[in-house]
Amino acid sequence: MARVALVTGGTRGIGGAISLGLQQAGCKVAAVYAGNDEAAERFRDATGIPVFKWNVCDFDSCRRGIETVAAELGPVEVLVNNAGITRDATLHKMTPEQWSAVVSTNLDSLFNMTRNVIEGMRDRGFGRIVSIGSINGQKGQFGQSNYAATKAALIGFTKSVALENAAKGITVNAVCPGYIGTEMVRAVPEEVLKSKILPQIPVGRLGEPEEIARCVVFLAGDEAGFITGSTLSVNGGQYMAS
Ligand code: NDP
């Protein structure tokens, strides 16, 4: 039977590649997005993957959305917490709004989504949860104290939920990308990319969204049941976390 997988932020960027990778691996996929209807509809039309619109910052929206997905596709067996934003500023210039938007989208969402699938996974004795962190949560980054704090917290969340659910057939892991060639990174001027970013990456290039998707598909597989509480760094050698 095809597993049901839900990917937050699953309609574009890294999340779009993850949705596609899971579909190609045989899952029935639900892709959640926030407000960019045009990108979501384009993605749905191109892939046949159903899209669902709700705000991962809101607990009740997540509960209702997950119920809708369960009614249409079946109970969620694979959850990929991918939705994330940046609102960069050095701490001495950061506004409370910049802090809260990032904490709410990147961190509260982990609770809002995972809390609403975990009981079902425990009852059924199977679950795969993969959350997308960041190299900047592992090493810190200038101008990103809000973002780095949420991505570091994601690792603590992953390890704790992994411990609580290990005996129930549920694995919980984190994938931490480095620089990936999404729209955002590709928009950086060629000169800056060549002189500032690429020299930091020993492999000498940006990562591809599909390279993150492949890691998620691996961790989401039935055969990955002995891997839990782990953090997989996918950054071209830029930062080698122990
Ligand atoms: P994008 O900005 O390309 O896409 C973000 C996705 O998340 C969109 O689908 C967006 O929906 C959705 N989203 C944002 N906020 C919400 C919300 N409140 N509720 C529901 N959905 C939401 O992101 P990336 O592909 O660049 O990043 C994906 C993940 O990977 C993030 O967690 C990011 O931190 C992490 N990452 C990215 C790196 C990179 O190089 N790009 C490097 C390291 C980590 P909509 O389309 O409607 O706006």
Side-chain angles (χ1 to χ4, degrees), residues 81-105:
N81 290 310
N82 165 79
I85 61 167
T86 53
R87 295 287 181 271
D88 294 356
T90 49
L91 184 70
H92 57 278
K93 293 184 181 159
M94 190 176 288
T95 65
E97 290 73 26
Q98 287 172 316
W99 175 265
S100 300
V102 170
V103 169
S104 178
T105 308

Side-chain angles (χ1 to χ4, degrees), residues 105-171:
T105 308
N106 299 6
L107 183 55
D108 291 348
S109 63
L110 298 181
F111 174 76
N112 296 342
M113 290 298 301
T114 310
R115 178 67 184 85
N116 278 305
V117 299
I118 198 75
E119 287 182 82
M121 287 180 175
R122 288 172 65 89
D123 290 346
R124 292 187 300 275
F126 179 86
R128 295 282 181 266
I129 299 168
V130 184
S131 301
I132 309 301
S134 167
I135 185 175
N136 293 345
Q138 296 172 294
K139 71 170 188 53
Q141 176 68 315
F142 188 96
Q144 287 199 325
S145 58
N146 49 1
Y147 182 79
T150 62
K151 295 299 189 179
L154 178 147
I155 294 173
F157 175 85
T158 295
K159 290 177 179 175
S160 304
V161 182
L163 277 174
E164 290 173 4
N165 295 284
K168 294 284 185 184
I170 302 167
T171 67

Side-chain angles (χ1 to χ4, degrees), residues 9 11-12 14 33-36 54-56 82 133 147 151 178 180 182:
T11 55
R12 61 190 177 92
I14 293 172
Y33 72 105
N36 189 335
W54 77 75
N55 181 2
V56 296
N82 165 79
Y147 182 79
K151 295 299 189 179
I180 305 301
T182 54

Side-chain angles (χ1 to χ4, degrees), residues 43-58:
F43 181 77
R44 182 197 56 205
D45 294 346
T47 62
I49 293 173
V51 299
F52 298 82
K53 181 175 170 177
W54 77 75
N55 181 2
V56 296
C57 302
D58 185 69

Side-chain angles (χ1 to χ4, degrees), residues 176-198:
C176 294
Y179 280 105
I180 305 301
T182 54
E183 275 169 47
M184 188 181 71
V185 175
R186 296 243 180 250
V188 173
E190 185 73 15
E191 188 37 47
V192 176
L193 201 63
K194 279 205 180 124
S195 63
K196 295 238 161 52
I197 296 180
L198 292 182

Side-chain angles (χ1 to χ4, degrees), residues 14 17 179-182 186 205-213 234:
I14 293 172
Y179 280 105
I180 305 301
T182 54
R186 296 243 180 250
R205 64 171 177 84
L206 300 176
E208 296 297 332
E210 292 71 23
E211 293 181 297
I212 305 303
V234 192

